Amino acid sequence: MTTRQLTPYPRQQLAAQPIGYWTGAAHREVVGRIRKELATESLTQPHWWILNHVAAAPAHWTRAELTAKLTPYDDQDIDFAEVFADLTSRGWLTEDATGTLTLTEAGEAGRLRAKERNLRAHEETHAGITEEEYVATLDVLRRVIANLGGDSDLPA
């Protein structure tokens, strides 16, 4: 994988840049790439979140519990009832009499296909960035969030 070279700018010019612009631009690129990869499987991010949560804790989640947990991360006003219905109609998710969700073999296979695509996107996103640089970037962003009164803890 080739890393695209950045145009060099003087440190002072970079230091004067608005962080809101750059965090927004980064968000659009990263999330856009993830959404593109998921769309190959006709999935949205909420589909992906549900599949991963159910896979990580089999026979633990109900629709209501997952909807409550995942809604704060949704920036597209997704109807979670539609997402659950889609996964069920595909045969990727089942629900027992108590409402507990289970991933089917087809659901796990689809999740793993999407995971492979997302891993490639993740590798491309991190190309040319050391772990130290990545962690420093996250720490700076966490500090910015905390400075503005936001929740800078890692997501649950």
Side-chain angles (χ1 to χ4, degrees), residues 61-79:
W61 295 103
T62 65
R63 288 179 184 221
E65 291 167 335
L66 265 180
T67 299
K69 177 161 180 78
L70 299 175
T71 297
Y73 301 104
D74 173 33
D75 64 353
Q76 296 182 335
D77 296 322
I78 297 288
D79 181 347

Side-chain angles (χ1 to χ4, degrees), residues 18-32 75 141:
I19 195 165
Y21 168 79
W22 290 103
T23 56
H27 177 267
R28 286 187 298 279
E29 292 297 326
V30 171
V31 172
D75 64 353
L141 292 173

Side-chain angles (χ1 to χ4, degrees), residues 89-106:
S89 71
R90 290 180 194 216
W92 287 22
L93 200 61
T94 61
E95 195 171 5
D96 69 16
T98 66
T100 303
L101 301 166
T102 303
L103 211 55
T104 66
E105 285 184 35

Side-chain angles (χ1 to χ4, degrees), residues 47-141:
H47 282 92
W48 176 242
W49 301 333
I50 290 167
L51 292 170
N52 280 306
H53 277 76
V54 174
H60 172 76
W61 295 103
T62 65
R63 288 179 184 221
E65 291 167 335
L66 265 180
T67 299
K69 177 161 180 78
L70 299 175
T71 297
Y73 301 104
D74 173 33
D75 64 353
Q76 296 182 335
D77 296 322
I78 297 288
D79 181 347
F80 279 90
E82 287 181 15
V83 177
F84 285 112
D86 180 55
L87 290 171
T88 302
S89 71
R90 290 180 194 216
W92 287 22
L93 200 61
T94 61
E95 195 171 5
D96 69 16
T98 66
T100 303
L101 301 166
T102 303
L103 211 55
T104 66
E105 285 184 35
E108 178 61 4
R111 187 186 76 80
L112 290 175
R113 286 190 305 272
K115 180 180 179 181
E116 281 302 312
R117 287 186 185 93
N118 280 346
L119 284 174
R120 284 193 299 272
H122 178 79
E123 288 169 2
E124 206 170 302
T125 300
H126 289 247
I129 301 169
T130 67
E131 183 176 290
E132 182 180 310
E133 290 170 323
Y134 185 77
V135 170
T137 301
L138 290 183
D139 279 340
V140 167
L141 292 173

